[in-house]
Amino acid sequence: MRFSLFLVLLAGLILPGCGLLGPADDTRAPLIELTRPGDGSVVGGEVLLRFTGEARGDDNFISFVTVSVDGDRVGEADLITPGVNPVFAYRLSSAQYSDGKHRIQATAFDKNENRGLSNTATVTFLNGVVDGTPTANGPLAAITSPRDGEEVAGTTQIIVQADPNQSAISRVDFLVDGVSLQTVTSFPFTFSWDASVEPVGQHILQARVYSAPDRFRLTNPVTVQVNAPEDPDGDGGSTGCQVAGCVRLRAPGFRGQVLGSAAVGFNNDIYVGTDADTLYAFSPSGALRWKRGVQGRITSSPVVSNTEDVFVTSSDGRLYGFTATGAQLWAPIVSPFTFSGGPALGIDGTLYFGDDSGQLWAVNSFNGRVRDGFPVSVNSSTSGTAFVGPPVIARDGTIFIASNGGSVFALNPNGTIKWSQRAFSSNFSRSLSLVEREITEQLITGPVTRTVTTVYGVFLAGTQVSLYALSGTDGAIQWSEVIADPTSSQISTPIVDADGSIYLGTTRALLAFNENLDDNATTTSRLRFSFPAANVGTPAVDAGGTIHFVSGRTLRSVNPNGTPNNSYDLASTARGPLTIGRNGVIYVAADNELLSGIYSGTAGLSEGKWPMFQRNARHTGRIGVDSDD
């Protein structure tokens, strides 16, 4: 019997697809195909290579694709369309090679580190370059329409105009993504380009302008964003869709995982930081505006100011500030300690954030200077003083922040400690939520109205994990509700809607609690419903009251009464938190390195008390005076 058992175990170790604890990772190579340009094509200028892939096996995906020319690796392709057959693209500057035939190939790697090779395309580069030196000098000209960065849809006129002091143009080859689509030999030099036959996303327009059969020059490239035609019926895949669940954008692939969430500015530009040390900026249609490398992993969410500046912390202990165009505002703030949580932005422009040594920082967002008296040390008598979540800020300027050891601190704007609550031994939700309400009391002298602040978080006290409501005045525990999923290693940040509903996610469900109990209630439980779902991220509530959240690889929606509303397959796992923009689009970044925008069917975010992570799409983390917060 022992020998038979040994054989069974040994077979589980050596047979493909088997393992002691379940099926092993799939060892089949991923499929990758070079679809454009085709074998034998003549290309020039900026060439957009396109590849279609397939990761074989359950719950698998292609993690990245490398591109080679003549056997030499030149870079990594971007994921532009997810799904069972994802599409990748790589922009190749062919003018850096001599004219003639060159071999293009790609290598795909899946989640299990299996490698697959694409077909090989032998293409001819035609740029007038030999041994790195231009030899065919033609007339100077430029594409005057469309303009660089313009968004187009349907049929678009491409217009080439020559410099008036140059020799006459005898011929123009119009290139789209480096491939010649049409030749024009007489004035006007225009080409009616049907952009609707091209994939949605970025495309490169260029022209090869001749004054003689052997004399030509390439125009500078023009990059345009091709959008799908307006889709008033909202039947999916359109930038003009107006029905809940349709896709509003598919942003170009970024590199790395998004451990925070997307931030959206007043101009609807979208900012995403990744653990591949990069901050990305996308247009509302998903076109890449710019990207900036930093010197450490970005594990938090960016913050956007009223002036459209964007700020982000990195794990190397730096705070960065950039303008909306990607220019650096000031030299990064440098600390010897890691910044795991992002900043919150006060109404006076002060950025507050904590480091892993238990210090709170305050930096002037306009000039990058550390405020007088900061950083301040906020020590805890319990283990673990690292601040791993962003602060939240009350209307009066009080800053609230929690440590991973479970202590909660309230500080005045000058850095002095207002109070501390040390009753907890661990912090599960990491980030806090903040609610203010007006209370009127009848005194002998007459009615008096005052503001009451409540701080929400999920903490461990003793052996129980509970949702706690703390007084913003002194940190006293106002009430607590036990979480029925104590095995969860992390519970999402609680959010609060206008009606006093509190929503948070666990590894097993989306939970809904009542902020206030009905005076006539026959039960003391605040739990309103538990919607079963796995690995629920921080939810967000739209203007119609629908609750949206990520569960594994699915974006799900639930009605306020706990019934299911909608779902959308993201083609890969995602972590949240979700962000809802002013245009009603829900932004979510998945582990397949794609930013998706799905229309919620409403005007935008709920006007709730704290309806989303860090309260609004800009992630300011404050209760402020801005009407658009």
Side-chain angles (χ1 to χ4, degrees):
M1 178 64 69
R2 290 183 180 178
F3 181 67
S4 300
L5 178 60
F6 173 76
L7 289 179
V8 171
L9 293 177
L10 182 60
L13 288 172
I14 64 176
L15 289 178
C18 298
L20 292 178
L21 302 178
D25 292 337
D26 199 299
T27 58
R28 291 176 293 173
L31 303 178
I32 187 73
E33 180 186 5
L34 172 61
T35 58
R36 188 172 182 180
D39 189 55
S41 298
V42 178
V43 300
E46 300 291 302
V47 183
L48 194 65
L49 310 176
R50 290 184 180 274
F51 307 89
T52 300
E54 178 186 351
R56 295 187 286 182
D58 295 335
D59 194 28
N60 196 7
F61 59 86
I62 294 179
S63 54
F64 64 96
V65 172
T66 63
V67 180
S68 65
V69 177
D70 298 331
D72 295 327
R73 176 175 168 175
V74 295
E76 293 182 10
D78 290 327
L79 173 65
I80 59 174
T81 305
V84 177
N85 298 114
V87 177
F88 298 82
Y90 180 78
R91 183 166 176 160
L92 175 69
S93 297
S94 67
Q96 64 183 306
Y97 300 90
S98 293
D99 285 2
K101 292 183 178 181
H102 296 270
R103 191 178 77 254
I104 299 173
Q105 194 173 29
T107 305
F109 297 84
D110 66 9
K111 181 183 71 172
N112 302 318
E113 298 185 2
N114 299 315
R115 184 181 70 168
L117 293 174
S118 77
N119 55 309
T120 300
T122 300
V123 300
T124 299
F125 292 171
L126 181 57
N127 300 293
V129 175
V130 175
D131 294 331
T133 303
T135 61
N137 296 317
L140 291 172
I143 294 176
T144 58
S145 180
R147 299 182 304 275
D148 191 61
E150 186 173 330
E151 299 181 8
V152 300
T155 301
T156 301
Q157 289 292 112
I158 304 176
I159 302 174
V160 168
Q161 290 185 350
D163 188 300
N165 298 320
Q166 297 295 307
S167 56
I169 297 177
S170 62
R171 166 185 162 188
V172 172
D173 293 343
F174 288 96
L175 312 179
V176 176
D177 297 334
V179 180
S180 178
L181 294 187
Q182 181 174 325
T183 296
V184 178
T185 57
S186 61
F187 184 84
F189 297 104
T190 63
F191 167 44
S192 294
W193 174 43
D194 185 5
S196 65
V197 302
E198 303 288 349
V200 171
Q202 288 188 339
H203 292 270
I204 307 163
L205 308 181
Q206 222 164 348
R208 195 182 290 117
V209 183
Y210 290 79
S211 60
D214 60 348
R215 295 182 62 84
F216 66 87
R217 191 192 303 264
L218 282 164
T219 64
N220 287 332
V222 171
T223 303
V224 296
Q225 170 73 21
V226 172
N227 295 330
E230 289 297 312
D231 182 14
D233 296 327
D235 54 3
S238 162
T239 58
C241 65
Q242 295 296 321
V243 175
C246 65
V247 180
R248 290 291 289 270
L249 72 85
R250 289 288 178 84
F254 48 80
R255 190 76 178 93
Q257 291 183 338
V258 177
L259 304 178
S261 63
V264 184
F266 284 129
N267 60 1
N268 289 324
D269 278 358
I270 309 145
Y271 303 95
V272 174
T274 75
D275 67 354
D277 309 350
T278 308
L279 176 68
Y280 295 83
F282 298 102
S283 74
S285 63
L288 179 65
R289 291 226 190 271
W290 49 264
K291 61 181 179 180
R292 295 291 178 268
V294 298
Q295 297 185 35
R297 300 166 66 240
I298 299 175
T299 60
S300 59
S301 303
V303 173
V304 185
S305 72
N306 292 34
T307 56
E308 298 296 339
D309 297 328
V310 57
F311 307 93
V312 68
T313 58
S314 66
S315 62
D316 66 328
R318 283 176 167 83
L319 169 74
Y320 297 85
F322 300 96
T323 68
T325 60
Q328 190 165 298
L329 279 169
W330 22 257
I333 302 298
V334 181
S335 164
F337 304 102
T338 298
F339 295 147
S340 299
L345 181 66
I347 59 174
D348 63 348
T350 300
L351 294 160
Y352 296 98
F353 51 97
D355 65 26
D356 285 4
S357 73
Q359 293 186 116
L360 180 72
W361 293 69
V363 173
N364 186 320
S365 64
F366 302 107
N367 57 25
R369 296 175 182 171
V370 179
R371 296 280 190 187
D372 291 342
F374 287 89
V376 295
S377 180
V378 185
N379 293 316
S380 170
S381 58
T382 60
S383 62
T385 58
F387 293 131
V388 292
V392 295
I393 306 172
R395 192 180 305 272
D396 64 1
T398 302
I399 306 114
F400 303 92
I401 191 168
S403 73
N404 63 357
S407 297
V408 183
F409 303 92
L411 297 96
N412 295 304
N414 64 1
T416 58
I417 296 179
K418 207 170 187 178
W419 54 259
S420 62
Q421 172 57 265
R422 306 167 189 261
F424 316 120
S425 56
S426 182
N427 177 9
F428 274 75
S429 60
R430 304 300 174 93
S431 301
L432 303 171
S433 295
L434 190 62
V435 167
E436 290 184 355
R437 65 182 186 276
E438 300 291 329
I439 292 182
T440 300
E441 297 176 326
Q442 189 65 41
L443 302 179
I444 297 177
T445 56
V448 174
T449 301
R450 61 187 179 91
T451 300
V452 175
T453 304
T454 303
V455 181
Y456 292 104
V458 179
F459 303 97
L460 172 67
T463 60
Q464 289 186 329
V465 178
S466 302
L467 169 66
Y468 283 89
L470 307 179
S471 167
T473 303
D474 56 13
I477 298 174
Q478 296 178 334
W479 56 263
S480 65
E481 187 74 21
V482 175
I483 303 297
D485 189 9
T487 61
S488 175
S489 60
Q490 184 170 337
I491 297 175
S492 84
T493 298
I495 64 169
V496 190
D497 202 11
D499 64 354
S501 296
I502 304 171
Y503 302 102
L504 60 86
T506 75
T507 54
R508 299 176 184 174
L510 172 75
L511 303 181
F513 299 92
N514 293 313
E515 188 179 27
N516 298 306
L517 287 175
D518 190 336
D519 292 337
N520 298 320
T522 59
T523 177
T524 58
S525 175
R526 296 176 184 271
L527 181 67
R528 195 169 80 250
F529 69 75
S530 175
F531 185 88
N535 301 319
V536 177
T538 300
V541 184
D542 68 27
T546 303
I547 308 100
H548 306 274
F549 60 93
V550 167
S551 173
R553 55 181 286 159
T554 305
L555 174 65
R556 306 193 67 172
S557 302
V558 174
N559 296 314
N561 62 0
T563 58
N565 182 301
N566 212 336
S567 65
Y568 176 77
D569 184 8
L570 298 170
S572 180
T573 55
R575 304 162 190 271
L578 295 179
T579 301
I580 300 180
R582 295 164 198 80
N583 54 3
V585 176
I586 306 166
Y587 298 100
V588 56
D591 288 347
N592 59 0
E593 301 180 343
L594 182 87
L595 174 68
S596 295
I598 297 94
Y599 188 46
S600 67
T602 67
L605 185 66
S606 167
E607 296 183 0
K609 299 174 180 179
W610 199 273
M612 188 172 63
F613 173 78
Q614 288 301 92
R615 191 171 180 265
N616 51 49
R618 294 189 294 125
H619 297 330
T620 57
R622 69 175 185 233
I623 298 177
V625 297
D626 302 304
S627 60
D628 288 320
D629 264 2

